[in-house]
Amino acid sequence: MKNLNKSQRNALLSAIVASGTDDLNVMFLAFSMSTIISQLGISGAQAGWIATITNFGMLFGGILFGILADRYSKLKVFKWTILIFSIATGLIFFTNNIYYLYAMRFIAGIGVGGEYGVAISIMAGIVPSEKMGRISSLNGIVGQIGSISSALLAGLIAPIFGWRGLFLFGLLPILIVVWVSRTVKEEELHIESYSDEDNESAQGSIKDLFKDRKTSYQTIVLMVMTTVQIAGYFGMMNWLPTMMQQNIGVSVSGSSTWMIATIIGMCIGMFVFGQILDRIGPRLAYGIFLISSAVAVYLFTFANSSTSILIGGAIVGFFVNGMFAGYGAVITRLYSYKISAIANNTILNVGRAVGGFSSVIIGYILDMSGVPLVMLFLAGLYIISFGFMITLPQLKANNYKTLDNKVDIDTSTSTVKNNKRLAEA
Protein backbone atom coordinates (compact mmCIF):
# COMPACT_ATOMS: atom_id res chain seq x y z
CA MET A 1 0.00 0.00 0.00
CA LYS A 2 2.91 2.32 0.72
CA ASN A 3 3.97 2.27 -2.94
CA LEU A 4 0.66 3.66 -4.22
CA ASN A 5 0.71 7.05 -5.89
CA LYS A 6 -1.69 9.85 -4.94
CA SER A 7 -4.28 9.01 -7.58
CA GLN A 8 -4.29 5.35 -6.60
CA ARG A 9 -4.70 6.15 -2.89
CA ASN A 10 -7.54 8.59 -3.57
CA ALA A 11 -9.29 6.18 -5.94
CA LEU A 12 -9.00 3.36 -3.40
CA LEU A 13 -10.41 5.54 -0.62
CA SER A 14 -13.26 6.74 -2.86
CA ALA A 15 -14.19 3.19 -3.85
CA ILE A 16 -14.35 2.15 -0.18
CA VAL A 17 -16.35 5.19 0.97
CA ALA A 18 -18.82 4.98 -1.93
CA SER A 19 -20.18 1.70 -0.59
CA GLY A 20 -21.07 3.43 2.64
CA THR A 21 -22.98 6.13 0.80
CA ASP A 22 -25.02 3.72 -1.31
CA ASP A 23 -26.00 1.80 1.84
CA LEU A 24 -26.93 5.15 3.38
CA ASN A 25 -29.27 5.92 0.48
CA VAL A 26 -30.83 2.46 0.39
CA MET A 27 -31.56 2.46 4.14
CA PHE A 28 -33.39 5.82 4.00
CA LEU A 29 -36.37 3.82 2.76
CA ALA A 30 -36.39 1.49 5.78
CA PHE A 31 -36.63 4.42 8.20
CA SER A 32 -39.32 6.21 6.16
CA MET A 33 -41.60 3.35 5.17
CA SER A 34 -44.32 3.75 7.80
CA THR A 35 -44.66 7.48 7.06
CA ILE A 36 -44.67 6.88 3.29
CA ILE A 37 -47.48 4.33 3.65
CA SER A 38 -49.51 6.78 5.71
CA GLN A 39 -48.97 9.92 3.61
CA LEU A 40 -49.33 8.29 0.18
CA GLY A 41 -52.25 6.13 1.33
CA ILE A 42 -50.80 2.91 -0.05
CA SER A 43 -51.26 -0.68 1.02
CA GLY A 44 -48.61 -2.89 2.61
CA ALA A 45 -48.35 -4.85 -0.64
CA GLN A 46 -47.70 -1.67 -2.64
CA ALA A 47 -45.07 -0.62 -0.11
CA GLY A 48 -43.43 -4.03 -0.34
CA TRP A 49 -42.96 -3.57 -4.06
CA ILE A 50 -40.72 -0.54 -3.45
CA ALA A 51 -37.85 -2.71 -2.19
CA THR A 52 -38.50 -5.38 -4.82
CA ILE A 53 -38.37 -2.84 -7.65
CA THR A 54 -35.17 -1.42 -6.15
CA ASN A 55 -33.61 -4.90 -6.25
CA PHE A 56 -34.62 -5.33 -9.90
CA GLY A 57 -32.95 -1.99 -10.65
CA MET A 58 -29.80 -3.20 -8.90
CA LEU A 59 -29.70 -6.35 -11.03
CA PHE A 60 -30.18 -4.39 -14.26
CA GLY A 61 -27.64 -1.72 -13.27
CA GLY A 62 -25.14 -4.30 -12.08
CA ILE A 63 -25.09 -6.09 -15.42
CA LEU A 64 -25.16 -2.91 -17.53
CA PHE A 65 -22.45 -0.97 -15.71
CA GLY A 66 -20.36 -4.07 -15.10
CA ILE A 67 -20.10 -4.55 -18.86
CA LEU A 68 -19.40 -0.86 -19.51
CA ALA A 69 -16.74 -0.67 -16.79
CA ASP A 70 -14.89 -3.75 -18.02
CA ARG A 71 -14.99 -2.62 -21.63
CA TYR A 72 -14.22 1.06 -21.21
CA SER A 73 -13.31 3.28 -18.25
CA LYS A 74 -13.85 1.89 -14.75
CA LEU A 75 -13.30 5.28 -13.13
CA LYS A 76 -15.77 7.12 -15.38
CA VAL A 77 -18.43 4.44 -14.96
CA PHE A 78 -17.83 4.51 -11.19
CA LYS A 79 -18.58 8.25 -11.12
CA TRP A 80 -21.68 7.84 -13.27
CA THR A 81 -23.14 5.19 -10.98
CA ILE A 82 -22.74 7.47 -7.96
CA LEU A 83 -24.38 10.37 -9.81
CA ILE A 84 -27.31 8.20 -10.86
CA PHE A 85 -28.21 6.85 -7.43
CA SER A 86 -27.57 10.22 -5.74
CA ILE A 87 -29.72 12.28 -8.09
CA ALA A 88 -32.51 9.69 -8.20
CA THR A 89 -32.55 9.56 -4.39
CA GLY A 90 -32.67 13.36 -4.15
CA LEU A 91 -35.54 13.52 -6.66
CA ILE A 92 -37.66 11.41 -4.29
CA PHE A 93 -38.22 14.76 -2.53
CA PHE A 94 -40.81 15.52 -5.25
CA THR A 95 -42.79 12.29 -4.77
CA ASN A 96 -46.54 12.74 -5.00
CA ASN A 97 -47.64 9.19 -5.86
CA ILE A 98 -46.41 5.63 -5.54
CA TYR A 99 -45.60 5.23 -9.23
CA TYR A 100 -43.18 8.15 -9.20
CA LEU A 101 -41.52 6.61 -6.14
CA TYR A 102 -41.27 3.25 -7.93
CA ALA A 103 -39.53 4.95 -10.87
CA MET A 104 -37.02 6.84 -8.72
CA ARG A 105 -36.18 3.77 -6.63
CA PHE A 106 -35.66 1.69 -9.78
CA ILE A 107 -33.26 4.32 -11.16
CA ALA A 108 -31.48 4.61 -7.80
CA GLY A 109 -31.19 0.82 -7.78
CA ILE A 110 -29.53 0.92 -11.19
CA GLY A 111 -26.81 3.19 -9.80
CA VAL A 112 -26.33 1.26 -6.55
CA GLY A 113 -26.22 -2.09 -8.34
CA GLY A 114 -23.62 -0.81 -10.76
CA GLU A 115 -21.43 0.91 -8.17
CA TYR A 116 -20.56 -2.15 -6.08
CA GLY A 117 -18.79 -4.27 -8.70
CA VAL A 118 -17.09 -1.29 -10.33
CA ALA A 119 -15.73 -0.15 -6.96
CA ILE A 120 -14.46 -3.67 -6.19
CA SER A 121 -12.86 -3.83 -9.63
CA ILE A 122 -11.06 -0.53 -9.04
CA MET A 123 -9.78 -1.84 -5.70
CA ALA A 124 -8.63 -5.08 -7.33
CA GLY A 125 -6.72 -3.13 -9.97
CA ILE A 126 -4.81 -1.24 -7.30
CA VAL A 127 -4.42 -3.64 -4.37
CA PRO A 128 -2.38 -6.89 -4.47
CA SER A 129 -4.73 -9.88 -4.65
CA GLU A 130 -3.36 -11.36 -1.41
CA LYS A 131 -4.63 -8.26 0.45
CA MET A 132 -8.06 -7.99 -1.19
CA GLY A 133 -9.79 -9.76 1.71
CA ARG A 134 -8.74 -7.04 4.11
CA ILE A 135 -9.61 -4.23 1.71
CA SER A 136 -12.97 -5.81 0.87
CA SER A 137 -13.71 -6.05 4.59
CA LEU A 138 -13.19 -2.30 4.96
CA ASN A 139 -15.63 -1.83 2.11
CA GLY A 140 -18.24 -3.86 4.00
CA ILE A 141 -17.60 -2.09 7.31
CA VAL A 142 -18.11 1.32 5.71
CA GLY A 143 -21.41 0.00 4.35
CA GLN A 144 -22.56 -0.76 7.91
CA ILE A 145 -21.43 2.70 9.01
CA GLY A 146 -23.61 4.04 6.21
CA SER A 147 -26.60 2.12 7.63
CA ILE A 148 -25.97 3.56 11.11
CA SER A 149 -25.60 7.07 9.64
CA SER A 150 -28.91 6.62 7.84
CA ALA A 151 -30.62 5.83 11.16
CA LEU A 152 -29.05 8.89 12.81
CA LEU A 153 -30.03 11.19 9.96
CA ALA A 154 -33.56 9.80 9.96
CA GLY A 155 -33.87 10.61 13.66
CA LEU A 156 -32.53 14.13 13.22
CA ILE A 157 -33.87 15.22 9.83
CA ALA A 158 -37.24 13.49 9.37
CA PRO A 159 -38.94 15.13 12.39
CA ILE A 160 -38.01 18.59 11.05
CA PHE A 161 -38.13 18.30 7.25
CA GLY A 162 -40.24 15.17 6.84
CA TRP A 163 -39.39 11.98 4.96
CA ARG A 164 -39.05 13.86 1.67
CA GLY A 165 -36.43 16.15 3.20
CA LEU A 166 -34.51 13.12 4.40
CA PHE A 167 -34.07 11.87 0.84
CA LEU A 168 -32.51 15.19 -0.17
CA PHE A 169 -29.47 14.11 1.83
CA GLY A 170 -29.09 11.35 -0.74
CA LEU A 171 -27.38 14.01 -2.87
CA LEU A 172 -24.34 14.04 -0.56
CA PRO A 173 -22.40 11.32 -2.47
CA ILE A 174 -22.07 13.75 -5.38
CA LEU A 175 -19.25 15.25 -3.30
CA ILE A 176 -17.32 12.01 -3.85
CA VAL A 177 -17.62 12.49 -7.61
CA VAL A 178 -16.36 16.06 -7.32
CA TRP A 179 -13.44 14.96 -5.13
CA VAL A 180 -12.49 12.09 -7.47
CA SER A 181 -12.63 14.39 -10.50
CA ARG A 182 -10.26 16.80 -8.80
CA THR A 183 -7.80 14.41 -7.16
CA VAL A 184 -7.64 11.28 -9.34
CA LYS A 185 -5.92 11.16 -12.71
CA GLU A 186 -7.06 8.08 -14.55
CA GLU A 187 -3.83 7.67 -16.48
CA GLU A 188 -2.01 7.27 -13.14
CA LEU A 189 -4.17 4.36 -11.96
CA HIS A 190 -2.69 1.85 -14.42
CA ILE A 191 -5.94 -0.13 -14.53
CA GLU A 192 -6.51 -2.18 -17.67
CA SER A 193 -10.00 -2.57 -19.11
CA TYR A 194 -9.16 -5.72 -21.10
CA SER A 195 -6.00 -7.53 -21.98
CA ASP A 196 -5.73 -7.31 -25.74
CA GLU A 197 -6.85 -4.03 -27.27
CA ASP A 198 -6.47 -5.41 -30.79
CA ASN A 199 -8.72 -8.41 -30.13
CA GLU A 200 -12.39 -7.48 -29.75
CA SER A 201 -13.19 -10.94 -28.38
CA ALA A 202 -10.99 -10.07 -25.40
CA GLN A 203 -13.62 -7.55 -24.26
CA GLY A 204 -15.50 -8.74 -21.20
CA SER A 205 -18.99 -10.18 -21.61
CA ILE A 206 -21.53 -11.78 -19.30
CA LYS A 207 -21.12 -14.90 -21.46
CA ASP A 208 -17.64 -15.28 -19.95
CA LEU A 209 -19.31 -16.25 -16.66
CA PHE A 210 -20.69 -19.34 -18.43
CA LYS A 211 -18.04 -19.97 -21.07
CA ASP A 212 -17.64 -23.66 -20.17
CA ARG A 213 -19.08 -26.22 -17.76
CA LYS A 214 -16.51 -25.60 -15.03
CA THR A 215 -16.90 -21.83 -15.08
CA SER A 216 -20.70 -22.09 -15.30
CA TYR A 217 -20.82 -24.30 -12.23
CA GLN A 218 -18.52 -21.94 -10.36
CA THR A 219 -20.78 -18.99 -11.22
CA ILE A 220 -23.94 -20.84 -10.16
CA VAL A 221 -22.40 -21.92 -6.84
CA LEU A 222 -21.35 -18.35 -6.05
CA MET A 223 -24.85 -17.13 -6.95
CA VAL A 224 -26.31 -19.66 -4.51
CA MET A 225 -23.92 -18.49 -1.81
CA THR A 226 -24.70 -14.79 -2.33
CA THR A 227 -28.42 -15.58 -2.40
CA VAL A 228 -28.10 -17.25 1.00
CA GLN A 229 -26.00 -14.32 2.22
CA ILE A 230 -28.66 -11.77 1.25
CA ALA A 231 -31.57 -13.97 2.38
CA GLY A 232 -30.02 -14.44 5.81
CA TYR A 233 -29.24 -10.74 6.17
CA PHE A 234 -32.73 -9.56 5.18
CA GLY A 235 -34.33 -12.24 7.30
CA MET A 236 -32.33 -11.24 10.35
CA MET A 237 -32.56 -7.46 10.03
CA ASN A 238 -36.18 -7.26 8.83
CA TRP A 239 -37.84 -9.92 10.96
CA LEU A 240 -35.89 -10.70 14.12
CA PRO A 241 -36.72 -7.39 15.88
CA THR A 242 -40.42 -8.02 15.20
CA MET A 243 -40.18 -11.63 16.40
CA MET A 244 -38.46 -10.50 19.59
CA GLN A 245 -41.16 -7.93 20.25
CA GLN A 246 -44.00 -10.38 19.65
CA ASN A 247 -42.64 -13.61 21.07
CA ILE A 248 -40.04 -12.71 23.67
CA GLY A 249 -41.63 -9.50 24.95
CA VAL A 250 -38.76 -7.18 24.03
CA SER A 251 -39.72 -3.52 23.72
CA VAL A 252 -39.19 -1.44 20.58
CA SER A 253 -36.32 0.37 22.27
CA GLY A 254 -34.89 -3.00 23.29
CA SER A 255 -35.01 -4.28 19.73
CA SER A 256 -33.26 -1.09 18.57
CA THR A 257 -30.48 -1.78 21.06
CA TRP A 258 -30.27 -5.32 19.67
CA MET A 259 -29.94 -3.85 16.18
CA ILE A 260 -26.99 -1.72 17.24
CA ALA A 261 -25.30 -4.69 18.94
CA THR A 262 -25.86 -6.80 15.83
CA ILE A 263 -24.37 -4.17 13.50
CA ILE A 264 -21.32 -3.84 15.77
CA GLY A 265 -20.96 -7.63 15.61
CA MET A 266 -21.21 -7.45 11.81
CA CYS A 267 -18.41 -4.88 11.59
CA ILE A 268 -16.10 -6.92 13.80
CA GLY A 269 -17.00 -10.06 11.84
CA MET A 270 -16.15 -8.41 8.52
CA PHE A 271 -12.81 -7.24 9.84
CA VAL A 272 -11.91 -10.68 11.19
CA PHE A 273 -13.15 -12.49 8.08
CA GLY A 274 -11.08 -10.27 5.80
CA GLN A 275 -7.98 -11.05 7.83
CA ILE A 276 -8.41 -14.82 7.91
CA LEU A 277 -9.52 -14.99 4.26
CA ASP A 278 -6.15 -13.65 3.15
CA ARG A 279 -4.29 -15.97 5.51
CA ILE A 280 -6.06 -19.35 5.40
CA GLY A 281 -7.96 -19.14 2.11
CA PRO A 282 -11.66 -19.00 1.24
CA ARG A 283 -12.65 -22.64 1.69
CA LEU A 284 -11.63 -22.84 5.33
CA ALA A 285 -12.73 -19.26 6.09
CA TYR A 286 -16.20 -19.72 4.59
CA GLY A 287 -16.46 -23.19 6.09
CA ILE A 288 -15.90 -21.85 9.61
CA PHE A 289 -18.31 -18.93 9.19
CA LEU A 290 -21.09 -20.84 7.41
CA ILE A 291 -21.24 -23.63 9.99
CA SER A 292 -20.94 -21.11 12.83
CA SER A 293 -23.75 -19.03 11.28
CA ALA A 294 -26.06 -22.04 11.17
CA VAL A 295 -25.34 -22.88 14.82
CA ALA A 296 -25.54 -19.26 16.05
CA VAL A 297 -28.84 -18.55 14.28
CA TYR A 298 -30.49 -21.69 15.61
CA LEU A 299 -29.21 -21.18 19.18
CA PHE A 300 -30.53 -17.62 19.10
CA THR A 301 -34.00 -19.18 19.26
CA PHE A 302 -33.33 -19.94 22.94
CA ALA A 303 -32.31 -16.38 23.92
CA ASN A 304 -34.75 -15.33 26.67
CA SER A 305 -33.17 -12.39 28.46
CA SER A 306 -31.93 -8.92 27.55
CA THR A 307 -28.32 -9.94 28.07
CA SER A 308 -28.54 -13.14 26.02
CA ILE A 309 -30.35 -11.26 23.24
CA LEU A 310 -27.64 -8.60 23.02
CA ILE A 311 -24.75 -11.06 23.16
CA GLY A 312 -26.52 -13.49 20.83
CA GLY A 313 -27.32 -10.72 18.35
CA ALA A 314 -23.69 -9.62 18.23
CA ILE A 315 -22.52 -13.22 17.71
CA VAL A 316 -25.10 -13.84 14.99
CA GLY A 317 -24.13 -10.59 13.24
CA PHE A 318 -20.43 -11.49 13.52
CA PHE A 319 -20.81 -14.75 11.61
CA VAL A 320 -23.85 -14.13 9.39
CA ASN A 321 -22.75 -10.86 7.82
CA GLY A 322 -19.02 -11.13 8.43
CA MET A 323 -18.82 -13.33 5.33
CA PHE A 324 -20.21 -10.63 3.08
CA ALA A 325 -16.85 -8.89 3.08
CA GLY A 326 -15.23 -11.82 1.30
CA TYR A 327 -17.28 -12.13 -1.87
CA GLY A 328 -15.67 -9.21 -3.65
CA ALA A 329 -12.21 -10.60 -2.95
CA VAL A 330 -13.10 -14.19 -3.90
CA ILE A 331 -14.93 -13.33 -7.12
CA THR A 332 -12.14 -10.98 -8.17
CA ARG A 333 -9.56 -13.76 -7.78
CA LEU A 334 -11.65 -16.49 -9.42
CA TYR A 335 -12.37 -14.59 -12.64
CA SER A 336 -10.19 -12.85 -15.16
CA TYR A 337 -9.67 -9.17 -14.40
CA LYS A 338 -11.20 -8.27 -17.75
CA ILE A 339 -14.62 -9.33 -16.35
CA SER A 340 -14.12 -8.44 -12.68
CA ALA A 341 -16.85 -5.78 -12.59
CA ILE A 342 -19.27 -7.95 -14.60
CA ALA A 343 -18.66 -10.95 -12.35
CA ASN A 344 -19.02 -9.06 -9.07
CA ASN A 345 -22.12 -7.14 -10.13
CA THR A 346 -23.92 -10.06 -11.77
CA ILE A 347 -23.28 -12.60 -9.02
CA LEU A 348 -24.09 -10.28 -6.12
CA ASN A 349 -27.16 -8.70 -7.70
CA VAL A 350 -28.64 -12.06 -8.67
CA GLY A 351 -28.21 -12.89 -4.99
CA ARG A 352 -29.97 -9.65 -4.06
CA ALA A 353 -32.86 -10.20 -6.45
CA VAL A 354 -33.48 -13.80 -5.34
CA GLY A 355 -32.43 -13.53 -1.69
CA GLY A 356 -34.64 -10.49 -1.18
CA PHE A 357 -37.69 -12.76 -1.30
CA SER A 358 -36.64 -14.33 2.02
CA SER A 359 -38.71 -11.75 3.88
CA VAL A 360 -41.85 -13.04 2.15
CA ILE A 361 -40.97 -16.67 2.91
CA ILE A 362 -40.23 -15.89 6.55
CA GLY A 363 -43.52 -14.04 6.90
CA TYR A 364 -45.34 -17.09 5.53
CA ILE A 365 -43.51 -19.45 7.91
CA LEU A 366 -44.35 -17.21 10.86
CA ASP A 367 -48.04 -17.29 9.94
CA MET A 368 -48.05 -21.06 9.48
CA SER A 369 -45.80 -22.12 12.36
CA GLY A 370 -43.64 -19.87 14.50
CA VAL A 371 -40.22 -18.54 15.42
CA PRO A 372 -38.44 -21.91 15.93
CA LEU A 373 -39.20 -23.00 12.36
CA VAL A 374 -38.04 -19.63 11.00
CA MET A 375 -34.70 -20.01 12.78
CA LEU A 376 -34.40 -23.59 11.56
CA PHE A 377 -35.09 -22.35 8.00
CA LEU A 378 -32.38 -19.68 8.25
CA ALA A 379 -29.89 -22.14 9.77
CA GLY A 380 -30.66 -24.59 6.97
CA LEU A 381 -29.80 -21.96 4.36
CA TYR A 382 -26.24 -21.73 5.67
CA ILE A 383 -25.87 -25.51 5.60
CA ILE A 384 -27.01 -25.48 1.96
CA SER A 385 -24.48 -22.76 1.16
CA PHE A 386 -21.75 -24.77 2.90
CA GLY A 387 -22.68 -27.85 0.87
CA PHE A 388 -22.32 -25.96 -2.40
CA MET A 389 -19.14 -24.17 -1.31
CA ILE A 390 -17.15 -27.32 -0.59
CA THR A 391 -17.81 -28.60 -4.14
CA LEU A 392 -15.60 -25.86 -5.59
CA PRO A 393 -12.01 -27.17 -5.69
CA GLN A 394 -10.86 -23.69 -6.74
CA LEU A 395 -11.43 -22.53 -3.15
CA LYS A 396 -9.25 -25.18 -1.51
CA ALA A 397 -5.93 -23.42 -1.19
CA ASN A 398 -4.99 -19.98 0.01
CA ASN A 399 -3.22 -19.28 -3.26
CA TYR A 400 -6.29 -20.10 -5.36
CA LYS A 401 -5.98 -18.89 -8.93
CA THR A 402 -8.40 -17.72 -11.56
CA LEU A 403 -9.78 -20.13 -14.12
CA ASP A 404 -8.65 -17.66 -16.72
CA ASN A 405 -5.31 -15.87 -16.32
CA LYS A 406 -5.75 -12.40 -14.94
CA VAL A 407 -4.52 -9.40 -16.82
CA ASP A 408 -0.85 -8.76 -16.20
CA ILE A 409 -0.64 -4.99 -15.91
CA ASP A 410 2.45 -3.40 -17.38
CA THR A 411 2.49 0.02 -15.76
CA SER A 412 4.92 1.32 -18.34
CA THR A 413 2.44 0.83 -21.17
CA SER A 414 -0.98 0.93 -19.54
CA THR A 415 -1.26 4.72 -19.67
CA VAL A 416 -0.86 4.77 -23.44
CA LYS A 417 -3.33 1.89 -23.87
CA ASN A 418 -5.92 3.48 -21.62
CA ASN A 419 -5.69 6.87 -23.32
CA LYS A 420 -6.04 5.27 -26.74
CA ARG A 421 -9.04 3.22 -25.65
CA LEU A 422 -10.78 6.18 -24.02
CA ALA A 423 -10.24 8.29 -27.11
CA GLU A 424 -11.84 5.59 -29.27
CA ALA A 425 -14.76 5.24 -26.83
Side-chain angles (χ1 to χ4, degrees):
M1 305 296 181
K2 296 180 181 179
N3 296 325
L4 300 181
N5 61 44
K6 181 179 179 181
S7 289
Q8 289 173 326
R9 286 195 299 270
N10 290 341
L12 183 61
L13 178 62
S14 301
I16 293 172
V17 171
S19 293
T21 61
D22 66 39
D23 276 26
L24 176 87
N25 284 10
V26 169
M27 289 301 293
F28 279 158
L29 179 65
F31 298 108
S32 307
M33 185 63 80
S34 60
T35 308
I36 291 173
I37 292 173
S38 174
Q39 292 193 8
L40 295 184
I42 60 177
S43 66
Q46 287 176 306
W49 272 103
I50 301 174
T52 301
I53 288 172
T54 304
N55 283 339
F56 287 150
M58 289 179 180
L59 178 58
F60 176 76
I63 295 173
L64 173 65
F65 288 115
I67 292 172
L68 292 177
D70 283 332
R71 290 191 176 185
Y72 302 109
S73 167
K74 287 178 170 60
L75 189 66
K76 285 186 177 180
V77 171
F78 173 67
K79 290 188 287 187
W80 273 107
T81 59
I82 296 175
L83 286 174
I84 288 171
F85 75 68
S86 299
I87 293 173
T89 301
L91 288 175
I92 291 177
F93 176 81
F94 300 102
T95 298
N96 57 13
N97 61 68
I98 187 61
Y99 302 105
Y100 176 87
L101 183 56
Y102 285 159
M104 290 302 103
R105 289 297 293 185
F106 180 78
I107 296 171
I110 291 174
V112 170
E115 183 274 333
Y116 170 79
V118 180
I120 290 291
S121 187
I122 289 174
M123 296 177 206
I126 296 172
V127 177
S129 60
E130 64 272 13
K131 295 183 179 180
M132 267 302 291
R134 278 161 278 190
I135 294 299
S136 185
S137 70
L138 291 177
N139 188 53
I141 290 170
V142 171
Q144 295 305 313
I145 294 173
S147 297
I148 295 173
S149 300
S150 178
L152 294 175
L153 283 173
L156 293 173
I157 303 302
I160 302 174
F161 299 102
W163 67 269
R164 289 180 176 85
L166 176 63
F167 281 95
L168 278 178
F169 280 81
L171 294 170
L172 285 176
I174 292 177
L175 295 176
I176 296 176
V177 177
V178 174
W179 188 69
V180 170
S181 298
R182 289 178 174 271
T183 65
V184 178
K185 296 179 181 180
E186 186 163 15
E187 63 271 14
E188 295 179 358
L189 295 182
H190 309 308
I191 295 178
E192 290 289 345
S193 292
Y194 51 88
S195 58
D196 184 1
E197 62 179 321
D198 298 320
N199 182 2
E200 290 299 312
S201 65
Q203 295 187 12
S205 167
I206 195 170
K207 293 180 181 179
D208 291 329
L209 302 181
F210 305 94
K211 65 180 183 179
D212 53 43
R213 182 177 296 181
K214 188 175 182 180
T215 310
S216 297
Y217 183 73
Q218 173 180 280
T219 299
I220 292 170
V221 167
L222 291 170
M223 285 179 175
V224 170
M225 292 178 68
T226 54
T227 295
V228 170
Q229 183 70 43
I230 300 299
Y233 176 80
F234 279 148
M236 183 174 65
M237 301 303 285
N238 291 347
W239 277 110
L240 281 189
T242 300
M243 288 189 284
M244 286 190 296
Q245 291 168 26
Q246 294 179 353
N247 297 280
I248 308 177
V250 177
S251 64
V252 174
S253 60
S255 63
S256 298
T257 304
W258 170 85
M259 186 78 76
I260 293 172
T262 303
I263 291 177
I264 292 173
M266 289 178 180
C267 292
I268 298 173
M270 288 179 178
F271 176 79
V272 172
F273 189 84
Q275 296 290 322
I276 67 173
L277 177 68
D278 288 338
R279 287 174 167 81
I280 66 176
R283 191 170 194 179
L284 187 54
Y286 272 102
I288 293 170
F289 269 65
L290 285 169
I291 295 299
S292 299
S293 293
V295 173
V297 167
Y298 183 71
L299 290 180
F300 192 72
T301 308
F302 304 100
N304 55 10
S305 68
S306 298
T307 302
S308 63
I309 286 171
L310 286 177
I311 295 175
I315 293 173
V316 168
F318 179 93
F319 288 111
V320 165
N321 214 43
M323 295 178 289
F324 182 81
Y327 287 103
V330 169
I331 292 169
T332 297
R333 291 181 69 173
L334 287 179
Y335 294 87
S336 167
Y337 187 69
K338 73 179 181 182
I339 58 167
S340 59
I342 297 173
N344 273 290
N345 273 348
T346 302
I347 291 170
L348 179 69
N349 286 306
V350 166
R352 277 174 170 164
V354 179
F357 284 100
S358 67
S359 293
V360 178
I361 297 172
I362 290 172
Y364 177 78
I365 295 174
L366 273 177
D367 291 339
M368 297 298 294
S369 179
V371 174
L373 189 58
V374 170
M375 305 307 277
L376 189 62
F377 165 73
L378 289 173
L381 289 180
Y382 294 108
I383 298 299
I384 291 171
S385 182
F386 175 80
F388 274 92
M389 185 274 296
I390 60 174
T391 66
L392 282 185
Q394 300 93 306
L395 299 180
K396 275 187 178 181
N398 186 29
N399 61 341
Y400 57 108
K401 303 296 183 181
T402 61
L403 293 178
D404 192 6
N405 290 331
K406 277 188 172 184
V407 179
D408 293 323
I409 299 176
D410 182 354
T411 56
S412 65
T413 60
S414 62
T415 298
V416 176
K417 291 181 180 179
N418 279 334
N419 286 342
K420 178 181 179 181
R421 211 161 28 241
L422 291 175
E424 292 174 348

